[in-house]
Amino acid sequence: MTDERALLARTSEIAAQYLESLGTRPVRPDADYATMLRAVDGPVPEQGTEPLAIVDELALAAEPGLTAMGSGRYFGFVIGGALPASLAADWLVSAWDQNAGLAQPTPALSALEAVTGRWVLELLGLPAHASFAFVTGCQMAHVTSLAAARHAVYDRIGYDLRERGLAGAPPLRVVVGEHRHVTLIRALRLLGIGRAQEHVVPADSQGRMRVELLENVPTDGTPTIVCPLAGEVNTGAVDDLEGVIAAAHERGAWVHVDGAFGLWAAASPRFAHLVHGHAAADSWATDAHKWLNVPYDCGIAICAHPAMHAAAMEYAAPYLAVGGEAERDPMGYSPEFSRRARSLPAWAAIRSLGRRGIAAMIEGSCDHAVAIADGLAALPGCEILNDVVLNQVLLRFETDGRTSEILAAVQREGEAWMGPTVWESRPAIRISVSCWRTDDDDVRRTIAAFARAATA
Ligand SMILES: *Cc1c(COP(=O)(O)O)cnc(C)c1O
């Protein structure tokens, strides 16, 4: 018989040790994929192993191949860490092991999810009547919202997509910016929407959709979905949402906002102006696992037209028919049927920080981004390429060779980690500040790492 209490105590000890190592361990992994595969590969075990031995074996085996993504000096992609309360809630989600698709068997988690969704709407300044789904990430939030969008724009021309399906459906147009995120494209493909159906709007110097060029979108009655971006992954720039939404609605289009991280500017009184006008869109996709700092994975699809949302998920939505007090079935709004209660870590994150703490976290990231940009700009040959308006810093050194060398040296040293990108056809370095742990000391250590690499 497994002693579950001893097992969980040992597991929490290992987890705590890992988290305590974040301040000092190299941010990069020690071992590469090939090394890790050699170390862990083997046939299906014939015999079982004691669970207590398994957690030790797993922790020891994985250790060399982990990146300290939760470190205050990890600036790759847009990742974010895990707030302690949300990590703890995530553990309970697994311990309770509820299938949180339906309200009836697990009313506690369904009610908590309903409240969490409402809190998110309030924090992001979105319409209180909007529907939402907690999904695996922003990409699946795109899939969910765009399915609702497509259902709605066809519905407006009297084409019943549920009844008649895609084969033989009237043409559809999706307007995207030149700097659209790759996951938006993947979402379109998963929905059977091809490249020829995309109308690409050129970008300005910060990667924003040039709103005046929306004039060139034909007004031919084709059902249209317009997808502005709140938070370009290199620059953090936000499209002129008010302008894009007005132009799109004038044409009868549905507006879907990719706000994976940038939408969280709305949660800060200091930065909300960046997303001004965002609440007039028809749907939004965002992440909790990025800037809200909940553990992977949690994205959120939000829709201002709940009936369209539910219809696209092929859900009868009794909740819509009888009002807000009725049971809300999470699966009615998400593409998953069986699902974990992935909203609970978001509930705990919001519960632990409150509105003020979330604003402070967002503002702290942005302030640290400015401090990093200022510190790096003082290094010889370093050029900051973006207006540091949010949490992203984009930079390069005087030659492409030096940009790549300096980045590789910083990554190798292990004091901090950030990734490469290509900006205006040349290599560049992108720094994304999105972890709750990042503090002034992390900023100082990161600038110092660059200074060492640049003078080596
Ligand atoms: C990260 C990101 C996505 C995709 O989010 P996932 O959670 O990885 O699916 C979409 N759009 C933007 C702008 C992003 O930064």
Side-chain angles (χ1 to χ4, degrees):
M1 262 296 288
T2 300
D3 180 344
E4 290 195 50
R5 182 169 293 267
L7 174 66
L8 295 181
R10 176 70 189 140
T11 306
S12 83
E13 182 59 30
I14 291 170
Q17 278 171 11
Y18 171 79
L19 293 175
E20 281 159 14
S21 78
L22 289 177
T24 48
R25 67 185 291 136
V27 181
R28 54 147 174 78
D30 275 330
D32 64 9
Y33 175 80
T35 309
M36 286 307 307
L37 189 61
R38 271 196 307 277
V40 301
D41 206 359
V44 175
E46 285 303 328
Q47 306 285 341
T49 303
E50 263 304 298
L52 206 54
I54 292 173
V55 290
D56 281 334
E57 177 188 326
L58 178 60
L60 199 66
E63 175 72 18
L66 297 176
T67 294
M69 294 191 189
S71 156
R73 281 163 285 103
Y74 180 84
F75 304 108
F77 308 94
V78 185
I79 296 283
L83 287 160
S86 65
L87 171 61
D90 198 60
W91 286 1
L92 287 180
V93 170
S94 291
W96 289 334
D97 192 24
Q98 308 279 292
N99 184 339
L102 293 168
Q104 191 271 327
T106 179
L109 303 198
S110 189
L112 280 160
E113 176 157 323
V115 170
T116 311
R118 250 191 26 236
W119 283 357
V120 168
L121 296 180
E122 234 183 276
L123 288 167
L124 297 181
L126 296 176
H129 73 272
S131 50
F132 49 82
F134 286 87
V135 295
T136 48
C138 191
Q139 176 179 291
M140 286 312 292
H142 286 324
V143 170
T144 307
S145 298
L146 290 169
R150 179 172 61 185
H151 182 90
V153 295
Y154 275 144
D155 187 68
R156 286 173 194 169
I157 60 163
Y159 184 83
D160 185 349
L161 190 64
R162 284 216 281 191
E163 184 59 35
R164 297 168 68 186
L166 265 187
L172 181 78
R173 178 182 297 118
V174 181
V175 179
V176 295
E178 191 184 338
H179 285 239
R180 62 206 177 279
H181 196 263
V182 58
T183 58
L184 184 79
I185 300 307
R186 281 162 56 96
L188 292 174
R189 297 297 177 272
L190 284 168
L191 291 167
I193 299 167
R195 210 167 290 156
Q197 290 168 280
E198 290 169 16
H199 176 107
V200 181
V201 181
D204 70 9
S205 69
Q206 297 298 307
R208 286 176 297 234
M209 182 187 284
R210 286 177 54 193
V211 61
E212 74 279 9
L213 298 180
L214 282 173
E215 254 181 37
N216 299 338
V217 178
T219 46
D220 52 7
T222 302
T224 300
I225 302 165
V226 179
C227 303
L229 174 60
E232 205 274 348
V233 288
N234 294 297
T235 64
V238 178
D239 287 353
D240 168 5
L241 295 180
E242 189 178 35
V244 171
I245 293 167
H249 281 172
E250 214 167 276
R251 286 147 188 270
W254 174 291
V255 180
H256 170 70
V257 179
D258 178 356
F261 64 95
L263 208 56
W264 288 89
S268 150
R270 263 178 64 204
F271 292 93
H273 67 275
L274 293 174
V275 296
H276 180 71
H278 71 304
D282 300 285
S283 60
W284 305 262
T286 191
D287 266 321
H289 57 213
K290 288 181 176 174
W291 222 350
L292 187 58
N293 276 265
V294 315
Y296 280 88
D297 44 30
C298 184
I300 312 166
I302 302 167
C303 185
H305 310 275
M308 296 295 125
H309 185 175
M313 296 298 113
E314 192 68 26
Y315 181 55
Y319 150 89
L320 291 173
V322 289
E325 292 306 311
E327 293 176 356
R328 178 184 184 277
D329 291 330
M331 52 82 41
Y333 302 90
S334 67
E336 298 92 3
F337 191 75
S338 292
R339 57 191 289 282
R340 75 191 264 105
R342 58 167 49 80
S343 56
L344 261 56
W347 176 88
I350 298 169
R351 189 76 190 84
S352 84
L353 293 183
R355 189 195 296 275
R356 288 191 198 164
I358 289 172
M361 179 170 68
I362 300 299
E363 290 161 12
S365 296
C366 297
D367 290 341
H368 292 317
V370 168
I372 289 172
D374 288 349
L376 297 183
L379 299 179
C382 179
E383 184 190 358
I384 304 298
L385 301 170
N386 67 322
D387 300 335
V388 183
V389 290
L390 202 64
N391 60 335
Q392 305 293 125
V393 183
L394 184 64
L395 65 133
R396 67 164 65 105
F397 287 84
E398 63 270 43
T399 64
D400 293 350
R402 254 180 86 65
T403 300
S404 303
E405 277 162 30
I406 289 171
L407 175 60
V410 171
Q411 289 175 341
R412 204 165 44 236
E413 192 198 49
E415 180 81 334
W417 202 96
M418 62 289 303
T421 188
V422 173
W423 186 253
E424 289 169 347
S425 311
R426 288 182 53 196
I429 298 169
R430 57 180 296 285
I431 291 175
S432 174
V433 188
S434 29
C435 181
W436 69 277
R437 282 183 202 272
T438 302
D439 62 15
D440 293 343
D441 192 48
D442 291 316
V443 169
R444 189 189 54 70
R445 287 172 65 176
T446 300
I447 295 167
F450 269 96
R452 284 192 296 277
T455 52

